[in-house]
Amino acid sequence: MRSLTFVIGTGRSGSTVLSEILNTHPDVLSLNEYMASVGDAAFPEGQVSGADFWQALYRPTPYFASMIRSGVLMPEFLYTRRPGRYAAETTGIPALSLMVLPHLTDDPDGLLDTLRETVGGWPARTAAEQHEALFETLGTRFGRRAVVERSGYSTGWAVKLRAVFPHARFVHLFRDGPDCALSMSRHPGYRVITLIREIAERTGVRSFGDLTVEQVRALPPDLAPLLDERFDPALVADRDFPPPRFGALWSELVVQGTRFLQDLPAGLGMTLAYEDLLDAPRQELARLAGFVGVEPCPRWLDEACRRLDGGRRGSARRELTAAGFEELRASCAPGTDALKKSKRD
């Protein structure tokens, strides 16, 4: 069985470039935004047939599909940059095709066809076994022996992933609070996330499938349309999003991530600070490679160092007023304190 590692974190923390760096390692199968793409639909209880498992991988991710149809595109949507035979308006873009497969190959449609033929014929087994069989299939195809999955905004997945994959290792990736929160406030995906969270808070539902007509009607006019298959992109782009709102979100996710890591058995958890990665890339990447179970090849380290850009460091202090920065820093205080405490422990 190939080693399996999940990189969890807030997102907007250098996680995308980390996936790109891992993808250049000759022994690492980098699964970019796999969990964000397949979601809960790919983890049913009990036995699942190969055909049903394939449908969970193939069906377009609903909230991403709605964003694309509405013209709210994230830079993480790799398929929309070099579109193939699938389109959100007609066929829908398969879940695996939007961000996972284009990260691995220049022919995501071809790889999707190959996987359809393979996965659809698999016997019934647990969801964990189906996922691991998929990782094995992709690892064999690309000649990679260590699997590393990385999705943004993923700390909420950690407990479930630990239960489903008890042998997996976890890396908690984080970035300076104010810088990360400011980046979140400008990212269309995180803007949508905060609005979706507001809908959930107002209605009290855990799943939007549980929303009643009355609950939807009671939502304000700047929130209700986000539940439609298409909405006005101005609801996301033109809305005022105070950065401290994202500082509070950053803190929530960082506290969640640090607590999860502290509860892991020895040897299954590792922390990785984005700023440390910038300051000592060779040392930190070598440490990550060892944790994942591969060698830190010199050529790989050379290429990785060229990909890292420290220009975003300190963006919050540079771009906000002194008062604005202090307000944002205060909203990040719980997360900052949690990170400091975890280092002491």
Side-chain angles (χ1 to χ4, degrees):
M1 181 184 295
R2 286 171 167 77
S3 67
L4 175 60
T5 304
F6 292 95
V7 179
I8 62 170
T10 63
R12 309 312 297 161
S13 55
S15 52
T16 298
V17 73
L18 184 62
S19 279
E20 293 170 354
I21 287 171
L22 288 168
N23 198 37
T24 64
H25 194 289
D27 290 327
V28 174
L29 176 69
S30 174
L31 296 180
N32 175 61
E33 304 283 5
Y34 179 79
M35 292 306 306
S37 299
V38 303
D40 286 320
F43 288 87
E45 298 290 336
Q47 300 276 304
V48 55
S49 69
D52 287 343
F53 180 64
W54 175 250
Q55 284 304 310
L57 303 177
Y58 181 81
R59 282 191 297 265
T61 311
Y63 43 91
F64 290 153
S66 175
M67 289 174 66
I68 296 170
R69 285 192 295 266
S70 303
V72 180
L73 299 181
M74 300 197 306
E76 292 83 356
F77 292 162
L78 299 180
Y79 194 88
T80 59
R81 297 189 203 170
R82 298 177 59 185
R85 80 167 76 111
Y86 299 99
E89 294 286 354
T90 53
T91 59
I93 300 174
L96 279 185
S97 297
L98 186 57
M99 297 181 284
V100 181
L101 299 187
H103 179 70
L104 296 173
T105 176
D106 290 333
D107 182 20
D109 289 350
L111 180 53
L112 188 76
D113 291 342
T114 299
L115 291 175
R116 179 192 289 112
E117 295 175 4
T118 302
V119 175
W122 283 349
R125 47 194 167 186
T126 66
E129 291 170 328
Q130 298 288 25
H131 285 284
E132 289 181 338
L134 179 65
F135 302 161
E136 186 72 21
T137 298
L138 289 170
T140 299
R141 179 184 179 91
F142 291 100
R144 310 297 177 93
R145 60 186 178 85
V147 180
V148 181
E149 193 281 336
R150 193 283 315 167
S151 293
Y153 191 63
S154 53
T155 55
W157 274 100
V159 171
K160 185 182 186 75
L161 291 173
R162 170 79 179 132
V164 174
F165 304 107
H167 60 283
R169 304 168 189 175
F170 291 85
V171 177
H172 182 211
L173 174 66
F174 51 86
R175 178 186 178 192
D176 172 76
D179 286 352
C180 188
L182 183 63
S183 181
M184 286 177 173
S185 73
R186 296 169 174 174
H187 188 277
Y190 283 84
R191 287 172 165 245
V192 170
I193 284 171
T194 60
L195 298 176
I196 295 300
R197 284 165 60 95
E198 184 175 342
I199 291 174
E201 290 167 3
R202 285 174 176 267
T203 59
V205 299
R206 297 185 62 181
S207 169
F208 285 166
D210 298 332
L211 281 171
T212 66
V213 174
E214 290 73 19
Q215 286 174 318
V216 174
R217 286 175 178 167
L219 290 171
D222 59 344
L223 288 179
L226 295 171
L227 299 171
D228 297 335
E229 291 190 356
R230 186 192 305 273
F231 55 84
D232 183 353
L235 293 173
V236 176
D238 296 346
R239 190 178 181 122
D240 179 36
F241 288 88
R245 184 174 184 178
F246 295 89
L249 175 60
W250 177 85
S251 281
E252 177 186 328
L253 298 176
V254 165
V255 168
Q256 192 176 53
T258 54
R259 287 176 178 169
F260 172 77
L261 218 67
Q262 288 167 353
D263 291 338
L264 285 177
L268 292 186
M270 169 185 161
T271 60
L272 180 60
Y274 177 62
E275 289 73 24
D276 290 345
L277 193 57
L278 295 177
D279 290 338
R282 291 179 179 276
Q283 175 183 323
E284 291 300 286
L285 288 172
R287 187 168 67 92
L288 176 62
F291 181 76
V292 167
V294 298
E295 292 295 322
C297 319
R299 183 177 298 179
W300 173 66
L301 290 173
D302 290 342
E303 172 62 22
C305 290
R306 286 192 287 269
R307 288 175 178 266
L308 292 169
D309 175 15
R312 296 186 301 165
R313 189 206 305 253
S315 56
R317 187 180 291 275
R318 286 195 309 269
E319 299 174 26
L320 298 176
T321 64
F325 175 75
E326 288 304 320
E327 186 179 7
L328 178 55
R329 188 168 66 169
S331 70
C332 294
T336 302
D337 291 343
L339 290 174
K340 291 178 179 177
K341 183 177 184 300
S342 69
K343 287 182 179 179
R344 290 196 300 269
D345 295 343

